[in-house]
């Protein structure tokens, strides 16, 4: 619920500067391909890295901090790009 209530409005705000056709094509791609592949890769990475590194859930969370920083940088760049286009 938290992810849906925060991520969806943020994603919708990025579509304010594109045409309706581009918006719906991108949304279909994001909802089906990107979301599902991301979930699958995250689960596979967890299953592969936990035994290999010997981390528990908290160790994996700490190891994922750089990935979170990367996603924050991507989100910042997308937001700046959206402001520029608006």
């Amino acid at each position: 619920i938290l992810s849906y209530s925060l991520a969806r409005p943020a994603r919708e705000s990025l579509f304010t500067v594109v045409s309706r056709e581009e918006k719906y094509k991108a949304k279909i791609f994001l909802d089906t391909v990107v979301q599902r592949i991301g979930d699958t890769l995250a689960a596979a990475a967890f299953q592969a890295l936990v035994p290999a590194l010997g981390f528990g859930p908290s160790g994996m969370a700490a190891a994922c901090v750089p990935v979170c920083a990367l996603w924050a940088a991507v989100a910042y760049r997308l937001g700046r790009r959206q402001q520029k286009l608006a």
Side-chain angles (χ1 to χ4, degrees):
I1 293 172
L2 183 62
S3 175
Y4 186 80
S5 66
L6 294 176
R8 186 172 172 101
R11 186 180 71 178
E12 294 296 324
S13 70
L14 293 174
F15 291 118
T16 59
V17 294
V18 295
S19 70
R20 182 175 288 206
E21 183 179 338
E22 291 172 322
K23 173 182 173 179
Y24 289 112
K25 284 181 181 179
K27 287 174 86 171
I28 289 169
F29 179 77
L30 289 172
D31 288 343
T32 57
V33 177
V34 174
Q35 183 104 26
R36 294 185 192 278
I37 289 176
D39 289 345
T40 302
L41 289 176
F46 185 80
Q47 291 296 320
L49 291 175
V50 167
L53 300 176
F55 290 161
S58 60
M60 280 303 293
C64 290
V65 169
V67 175
C68 293
L70 175 67
W71 278 118
V74 168
Y76 177 77
R77 296 271 319 246
L78 284 173
R80 298 294 295 169
R81 177 83 171 138
Q82 194 272 343
Q83 283 181 340
K84 187 178 180 181
L85 291 173

